């Protein structure tokens, strides 16, 4: 039996998914619904360094060694564990997707107290994904299919399939990780931070509305970037240089507030061309490795600033993500923006705008 869905709102997907999983009568069924929905939401956007990833995912409803047994052969490589919540499912996908080859799977095992995840090796993964029970006739492998859920995505058609035994749940739409109306774009919050302490509200709004499309363009064109905003005082810059001395700090910061104001007031072409050149330079700076630093009155202060990563803090991301995690913890940073190479974005506020 197959249930098909075409372009349904996410609340309907959750409703149908809950009905689909209700038949399994598992403990923590609501956390399972939340977790599988998080995978449905995340899987179509799964990338690593710009490369689209297509992992198969196996969820065992009890400990993996109780669901799959293969005599005299290891079937999995455990990566980590986490609490029974949707964030752990997302973390499992993010950490394991770059590791799993096409003939392997990511496994997420629901033990009594927590979630274990890792890589399910070739023989077991293939047996489960094809539901080839006849393999057990000539392989010493035993699979409890009643306790197995598999999740796959077809990147050609966009169909995402959740399968339990002979019942499948298919979705023919790709969800964005966040609802469009859930929050304003992060670039908008970043522009507000960069203009926070401009005292004239009409000037502030004008600069923000003009800076926003340029910031968005720079961020979208980058292969990944980090942008920090510090308070508008000399003490902040001095402390920043003390903490992050490996970078290029401008002797004369680029004053976008002044450049935008001059371009607006001027009837000539020179000021507009000058502003455009400043914006082009800003884009090149943002596209470089390291952090680009603004203050709260529209000045670009530094670029290519490198962060010494705190190796004592547990974090699953790559170098840029780890640097962002360290940077966002510095008290001298008011706001911090991060875009990963696969397009994911984060924004940390240490002060209200």
């Amino acid at each position: 039996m197959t249930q098909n869905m075409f372009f349904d709102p996410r609340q309907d997907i959750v409703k149908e998914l809950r009905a689909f999983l209700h038949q399994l009568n598992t403990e923590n069924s609501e956390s399972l619904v939340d977790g599988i929905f998080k995978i449905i939401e995340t899987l179509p956007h799964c990338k690593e360094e710009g490369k689209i990833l297509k992992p198969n995912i196996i969820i065992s409803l009890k400990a993996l060694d109780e669901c799959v047994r293969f005599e005299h052969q290891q079937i999995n490589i455990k990566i980590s564990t986490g609490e029974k919540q949707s964030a752990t499912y997302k973390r499992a996908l993010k950490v394991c997707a770059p590791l799993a080859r096409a003939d392997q799977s990511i496994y997420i095992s629901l033990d009594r107290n927590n979630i274990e995840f890792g890589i399910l090796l070739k023989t077991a993964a293939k047996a489960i994904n094809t539901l080839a029970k006849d393999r057990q006739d000539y392989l010493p492998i035993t699979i409890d299919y009643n306790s197995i859920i598999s999740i796959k995505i077809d990147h050609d058609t966009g169909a995402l399939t959740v399968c339990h035994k002979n019942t499948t749940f298919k979705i023919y739409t790709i969800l964005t990780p966040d609802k469009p109306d859930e929050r304003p774009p992060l670039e908008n919050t970043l522009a507000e931070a960069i203009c926070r302490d401009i005292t004239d509200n009409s000037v502030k709004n004008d600069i923000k509305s003009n800076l926003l499309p340029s910031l968005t363009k720079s961020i979208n064109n980058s292969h990944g970037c980090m942008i920090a905003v510090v308070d508008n005082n000399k003490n902040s810059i001095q402390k920043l240089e003390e903490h992050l001395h490996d970078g290029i700090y401008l002797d004369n910061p680029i004053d976008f507030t002044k450049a935008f104001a001059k371009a607006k007031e001027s009837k000539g072409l020179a000021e507009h061309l000058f502003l455009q050149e400043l914006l082009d330079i800003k884009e090149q700076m943002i596209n470089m490795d390291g952090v680009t630093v603004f203050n709260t009155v529209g000045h670009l202060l530094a670029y290519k600033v490198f962060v010494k990563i705190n190796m004592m803090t547990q974090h699953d991301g790559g170098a840029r993500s780890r640097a962002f995690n360290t940077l966002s913890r510095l008290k001298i940073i008011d706001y911090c923006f991060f875009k990963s190479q696969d397009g994911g974005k984060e924004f940390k506020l240490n002060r209200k705008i």
Side-chain angles (χ1 to χ4, degrees), residues 138-165:
Y138 58 89
L139 286 176
I141 186 169
T142 303
I143 302 173
D144 178 7
Y145 287 98
N146 290 317
S147 301
I148 296 289
I149 297 172
S150 65
I151 304 175
K152 305 177 185 179
I153 185 169
D154 185 330
H155 283 273
D156 294 325
T157 65
L160 193 148
T161 303
V162 182
C163 181
H164 175 254
K165 295 180 69 174

Side-chain angles (χ1 to χ4, degrees), residues 51-318:
K51 181 182 178 182
I52 296 175
L53 303 176
K54 305 177 183 180
N56 293 318
I57 299 163
I58 300 298
I59 299 175
S60 65
L61 302 178
K62 51 188 178 182
L64 184 66
D65 59 5
E66 296 179 29
C67 294
V68 184
R69 296 186 180 91
F70 197 172
E71 293 181 19
H72 312 304
Q73 185 169 328
Q74 184 174 339
I75 63 168
N76 68 298
I77 297 175
K78 176 183 173 181
I79 299 298
S80 189
T81 59
E83 296 180 358
K84 285 187 175 180
Q85 55 188 23
S86 62
T88 304
Y89 289 78
K90 183 177 181 180
R91 178 171 172 246
L93 188 58
K94 180 176 179 61
V95 171
C96 296
L99 301 176
R101 299 184 323 197
D103 54 1
Q104 298 171 338
S105 293
I106 298 170
Y107 79 86
I108 298 174
S109 173
L110 309 185
D111 206 341
R112 183 174 299 276
N113 298 317
N114 59 17
I115 293 176
E116 176 186 311
F117 58 86
I119 304 300
L120 191 65
L121 301 180
K122 179 178 178 179
T123 303
K126 191 171 183 180
I128 292 172
N129 281 320
T130 58
L131 291 179
K133 299 182 182 181
D134 58 329
R135 291 179 185 278
Q136 299 179 51
D137 295 337
Y138 58 89
L139 286 176
I141 186 169
T142 303
I143 302 173
D144 178 7
Y145 287 98
N146 290 317
S147 301
I148 296 289
I149 297 172
S150 65
I151 304 175
K152 305 177 185 179
I153 185 169
D154 185 330
H155 283 273
D156 294 325
T157 65
L160 193 148
T161 303
V162 182
C163 181
H164 175 254
K165 295 180 69 174
N166 296 320
T167 304
T168 60
F169 175 79
K170 288 190 175 182
I171 302 171
Y172 293 91
T173 183
I174 295 177
L175 299 174
T176 55
D178 297 298
K179 299 178 185 179
D181 59 348
E182 190 171 309
R183 62 183 182 187
L186 295 181
E187 290 86 350
N188 185 69
T189 309
L190 177 62
E192 288 184 2
I194 293 172
C195 299
R196 187 196 72 194
D197 291 334
I198 297 175
T199 54
D200 188 319
N201 284 332
S202 63
V203 174
K204 177 191 289 189
N205 293 332
D206 188 51
I207 300 301
K208 185 176 71 175
S209 62
N210 281 280
L211 185 61
L212 176 58
S214 175
L215 274 174
T216 302
K217 177 175 177 285
S218 299
I219 291 166
N220 289 341
N221 288 344
S222 72
H223 62 280
C225 64
M226 280 194 294
I227 300 172
V229 183
V230 298
D231 195 42
N232 178 38
N233 62 64
K234 290 183 179 180
N235 190 41
S236 294
I237 302 301
Q238 289 174 351
K239 286 185 177 180
L240 183 67
E241 287 195 69
E242 289 173 6
H243 281 84
L244 306 173
H245 51 81
D246 185 5
I248 301 173
Y249 290 83
L250 303 178
D251 291 338
N252 298 305
I254 299 175
D255 188 342
F256 285 104
T257 302
K258 184 177 179 180
F260 274 117
K262 281 193 171 184
K264 182 180 179 179
E265 294 170 0
S266 174
K267 295 181 180 180
L269 185 61
E271 284 77 9
H272 291 273
L273 292 176
F274 178 66
L275 172 59
Q276 187 57 54
E277 292 204 49
L278 291 183
L279 293 172
D280 290 342
I281 290 172
K282 176 260 302 170
E283 181 169 340
Q284 295 303 316
M285 291 176 173
I286 288 176
N287 200 30
M288 291 181 178
D289 290 336
V291 186
T292 304
V293 183
F294 291 82
N295 66 12
T296 52
V297 291
H299 298 171
L300 196 158
L301 308 174
Y303 70 101
K304 213 169 182 180
V305 177
F306 290 94
V307 180
K308 186 176 181 181
I309 298 172
N310 183 357
M311 301 304 294
M312 300 301 293
T313 303
Q314 183 179 359
H315 193 72
D316 297 319

